[in-house]
Amino acid sequence: MSKFYEKVAYHDVEEDIQSQKSVDKWIFLLLLLTIGFVPLIVMASVVEVQSPLVTNVSALAGGTKGDIFTHYKALVMVVITTLAGIMFMTKIIFMNGGIRKTKINYAVGAFAVAIVLSTIFSPNISIALHGQYNRSDGAISWLCYLALFFISMNINYPKKVLNYILYSLYPFVIINLYIIIMNFYDKDLLQKTGVKKIVTLLLPADAHIGEDSILVGTLNQWNYMSGMFAIMTMLFLAAALFEKNIVRSIIHMLIALLSLSIVFMSLSSSGFITIVLLLPFLIFYVFKSKIKKRSVLILSMFLIFSVPIFHTLATQVPKVWYETIGLIFKYNPYDIYIEPEETSYKFNSEGILSTKVYAAEKFELPVLPERATSAGSGRVYIWSKGFELLKERPLLGYGLDTFMYNFPHYEIDARAGLYDEDIITDKPHSMYFSLLYGTGIIGFLCATLLIAMSLISSLKVVIKQNQTVIWVLGIAWGAYLIQAFFNDSLPGTSAVMWVIAGIMLAETYKNKEQLNGRDD
C-alpha cells in the first residue's frame, strides 16, 4: 500500500514539473510578443482627456485628443501582463510552482507600493493613473513593467533563449530602418495612402490624421528612436562578438550596423552618447572571450563599416555630424553653409542711410534674458524647475506622467533655458527625473535600489564566469539605463527592457542555483 502512495506522489511531482514547463513556454511566448511586437504597434486612437487645468492653451486643455504611437502599445501590454499574470499564478497555486528567494523581490514590492501611494495622493489622480494621452506612462504602465519583470525573473527558459530574443527583434530593426530612411530622404510614409489606411484602421469615421503628422519610426519621436536603437546596436553587437556560430555572428553584426544607422538618422545625441560610453566595456570583454581573434575581427568590421554609413548620411544631412562626432569636434566638414555678415541699416530723419538708431531719452526697454538653451538641450533648465516643484511634495511626488500639468510654463527665464518662453514642456526628458518627480524620494530610492541590485547580481556572475546570455542582455540593460538619463520612459521601450532585465536575472539565478548544486 505504501508503494502505491509513493507512485502516486511521484507521478504528481512529475506531472507538476511537466505542467510548469508548459506554462513557462506559454509565458515566454507572451514575453517575446512584448519584446518584438509591442514596440511595432502604430495605430491611431482618439481619447477624451479630462485636463486638471482650466486653460485656453490647446496642449494643456482637455477635450478629444489623438495619438498614434502609445495608446494601443499600452493596451496590448496590459492584456499581455494580465494573461502572463494569470498563467504565473496558476503555476504557483495549482502546479506547485515557486518564486525565487531573492532580496530583489522586496525592492520590486517596495517600488510597486511607492507607485500606488504616489498615485493615490497625486493632485492629478486620473493623469497619474493612465499617463498623458500621447505617452501612456502612468502608474498602470509602470506596474505592468514591474509585473512583467517579476514574472520573467521567475520562470525557466530554453537554452536558446538569447537567439529567440534576438530573432524577435529583427523585424523591429528592419521595419524602423525602412521608415526612418524614407523620412530622412523626405518621403514620409504617413503621407502614403496604404500606410495611412493601416494606421487609421481603428479610428472613428469622422476622425483623421493631421497633415503635419510625420512617421519617423514606430516610436514617438527622434529622441526615443535614438535611445532605443542605441540599445539595439549594443545588444546585437554584443551578441555578434560572443556568438560561436560564424553565420549568426555576421548576421547579428549586420543588424547592429542597421541599428547604428537608425541612431545616426534619428538626429539626437542620446543614442550616440550611450554607444560611446558602453563600447569600452565591450572592448574589455572581447579580450576575455574564448574566441578572441574572431571577436576582434567582428568588432573591427563593425567599426570599419560604420564609417561609410556615417559619411553617406552626414553628406545628406550635416546635422548627423553635430549630433554625434560634433559633440567632441565642433568643426563640421559636411556643413558648407557660409554665415552672411550681420549689417543693420537705418534711415535717419533726413532720409540719409545710417547704421545707428536712437531711442527717446526717457524710454527704457525691459531687460530680458538673453535667448539661449541650457545644457542638455534645455534639460538643465527643466530639471531645475522640476526640483523647485519637488520641494513642495518631496516624499510621494506628484504622480507619474503629470509633469506637463504642474510645470511652470510661460516664465520669462525660459528664454535663457529653452530659448523660447512660449514652449510647453510636457516631460522631464529623463526617466530618472520622471521617477523622482512622479513618485517622490521614496519611490526614487526604491527604483534606484532595484536597478542597482539587478546590475550587481548579474555582474557578480559575469565577472566570475563567461556567461554569454547574461553578458549580452546585461549590455542591453545597461544601454537602457544610460540612455534613460536623457530620455523618458514609454511602453514601447520600457516594457521591452524590463522583460529583458527579468530574463537576464532569471539566467543569473539559474546559474547560481546550478553552481550551488555542484558545490553540494
Side-chain angles (χ1 to χ4, degrees):
M1 195 64 165
S2 62
K3 290 183 179 180
F4 171 77
Y5 285 117
E6 288 175 7
K7 288 181 179 179
V8 171
Y10 177 76
H11 174 73
D12 289 344
V13 171
E14 284 295 314
E15 186 176 354
D16 284 341
I17 292 173
Q18 291 302 317
S19 298
Q20 290 173 23
K21 289 180 178 179
S22 178
V23 171
D24 284 351
K25 287 180 181 178
W26 281 104
I27 293 177
F28 183 43
L29 178 60
L30 290 173
L31 297 179
L32 287 178
L33 282 175
T34 304
I35 293 171
F37 176 67
V38 168
L40 281 174
I41 300 172
V42 179
M43 297 291 288
S45 66
V46 173
V47 295
E48 191 68 28
V49 177
Q50 299 294 329
S51 174
L53 303 176
V54 178
T55 175
N56 60 354
V57 179
S58 60
L60 300 173
T64 302
K65 306 275 188 175
D67 165 67
I68 66 174
F69 291 108
T70 60
H71 177 75
Y72 286 106
K73 283 185 177 75
L75 184 60
V76 172
M77 179 187 65
V78 170
V79 172
I80 289 175
T81 305
T82 303
L83 292 175
I86 292 171
M87 290 182 185
F88 184 71
M89 292 306 297
T90 302
K91 172 187 166 183
I92 299 298
I93 297 171
F94 300 108
M95 301 174 189
N96 200 30
I99 295 174
R100 289 187 167 101
K101 295 179 180 179
T102 167
K103 293 178 181 178
I104 205 167
N105 292 339
Y106 299 106
V108 172
F111 187 28
V113 170
I115 291 172
V116 171
L117 290 176
S118 70
T119 305
I120 292 173
F121 293 101
S122 170
N124 316 121
I125 296 179
S126 61
I127 302 295
L129 185 63
H130 300 283
Q132 293 180 37
Y133 72 94
N134 59 349
R135 288 170 39 77
S136 302
D137 202 52
I140 291 176
S141 290
W142 271 95
L143 290 174
C144 284
Y145 305 154
L146 288 181
L148 289 170
F149 172 77
F150 182 77
I151 292 169
S152 58
M153 191 176 66
N154 283 286
I155 66 172
N156 293 312
Y157 298 94
K159 291 182 179 179
K160 296 181 179 179
V161 57
L162 179 59
N163 286 337
Y164 290 129
I165 292 172
L166 296 172
Y167 297 155
S168 70
L169 286 167
Y170 279 3
F172 178 55
V173 174
I174 294 169
I175 290 172
N176 274 280
L177 177 69
Y178 176 65
I179 294 172
I180 202 168
I181 284 177
M182 297 298 287
N183 186 279
F184 193 75
Y185 289 94
D186 298 322
K187 297 178 182 178
D188 182 42
L189 283 178
L190 203 55
Q191 309 309 318
K192 304 292 183 182
T193 305
V195 174
K196 188 173 287 188
K197 283 183 178 179
I198 295 172
V199 172
T200 60
L201 191 64
L202 300 179
L203 269 185
D206 59 341
H208 63 277
I209 296 178
E211 293 182 0
D212 59 340
S213 299
I214 61 172
L215 193 65
V216 298
T218 62
L219 303 177
N220 294 39
Q221 48 106 286
W222 308 105
N223 290 335
Y224 302 122
M225 292 288 290
S226 179
M228 188 59 175
F229 284 94
I231 299 170
M232 295 297 103
T233 301
M234 300 314 295
L235 172 65
F236 283 103
L237 179 57
L241 295 177
F242 306 116
E243 172 60 58
K244 294 179 181 179
N245 183 289
I246 184 63
V247 175
R248 281 199 294 267
S249 180
I250 292 174
I251 293 174
H252 293 335
M253 184 201 67
L254 292 175
I255 297 295
L257 284 169
L258 298 183
S259 300
L260 181 64
S261 302
I262 297 174
V263 173
F264 290 152
M265 286 185 281
S266 296
L267 303 178
S268 173
S269 57
S270 62
F272 181 75
I273 292 172
T274 300
I275 292 170
V276 169
L277 291 176
L278 273 179
L279 263 179
F281 291 93
L282 270 185
I283 294 171
F284 168 76
Y285 205 77
V286 160
F287 290 98
K288 293 183 65 178
S289 173
K290 295 178 180 178
I291 47 174
K292 185 187 301 182
K293 290 183 179 179
R294 200 177 75 195
S295 295
V296 170
L297 177 63
I298 291 292
L299 181 59
S300 301
M301 289 172 63
F302 173 81
L303 295 174
I304 291 169
F305 291 149
S306 297
V307 175
I309 292 173
F310 176 83
H311 174 72
T312 302
L313 297 175
T315 302
Q316 177 69 22
V317 179
K319 191 179 178 182
V320 171
W321 173 281
Y322 289 119
E323 297 295 338
T324 53
I325 307 297
L327 298 173
I328 304 170
F329 304 103
K330 297 301 180 184
Y331 171 70
N332 186 349
Y334 297 96
D335 194 346
I336 58 174
Y337 173 75
I338 301 174
E339 188 174 346
E341 294 182 8
E342 293 185 5
T343 306
S344 176
Y345 296 102
K346 301 288 181 180
F347 286 93
N348 63 15
S349 58
E350 298 177 356
I352 300 174
L353 190 65
S354 172
T355 58
K356 295 182 179 181
V357 62
Y358 300 91
E361 292 182 5
K362 294 184 179 180
F363 180 75
E364 293 184 5
L365 291 172
V367 178
L368 298 177
E370 291 279 339
R371 290 196 183 275
T373 302
S374 66
S377 301
R379 284 173 173 82
V380 170
Y381 171 79
I382 294 171
W383 297 340
S384 65
K385 292 293 183 181
F387 277 119
E388 291 177 13
L389 287 173
L390 193 62
K391 291 176 183 177
E392 299 178 14
R393 302 176 64 88
L395 294 181
L396 295 176
Y398 289 79
L400 290 164
D401 213 11
T402 63
F403 196 71
M404 181 172 71
Y405 298 102
N406 295 290
F407 188 84
H409 306 288
Y410 300 117
E411 292 201 350
I412 197 64
D413 58 346
R415 290 169 60 95
L418 300 175
Y419 199 83
D420 192 339
E421 65 271 26
D422 292 334
I423 292 176
I424 297 296
T425 303
D426 61 344
K427 52 189 177 293
H429 293 281
S430 168
M431 183 186 77
Y432 300 106
F433 193 88
S434 179
L435 290 174
L436 178 59
Y437 161 86
T439 63
I441 295 173
I442 295 175
F444 180 75
L445 290 177
C446 292
T448 303
L449 179 63
L450 173 56
I451 290 169
M453 291 174 72
S454 72
L455 290 172
I456 292 169
S457 298
S458 300
L459 278 174
K460 286 181 179 179
V461 174
V462 167
I463 291 171
K464 291 180 180 179
Q465 298 182 31
N466 188 9
Q467 294 294 322
T468 300
V469 176
I470 301 171
W471 175 251
V472 173
L473 297 183
I475 283 288
W477 179 236
Y480 169 75
L481 297 176
I482 291 174
Q483 65 84 41
F485 280 102
F486 317 105
N487 292 322
D488 300 276
S489 165
L490 285 175
T493 57
S494 289
V496 175
M497 296 313 303
W498 281 92
V499 167
I500 285 178
I503 297 173
M504 173 191 73
L505 284 175
E507 291 297 305
T508 299
Y509 295 135
K510 177 182 175 182
N511 184 267
K512 288 182 178 179
E513 290 162 5
Q514 290 173 347
L515 284 176
N516 292 335
R518 290 197 205 103
D519 293 341
D520 294 340

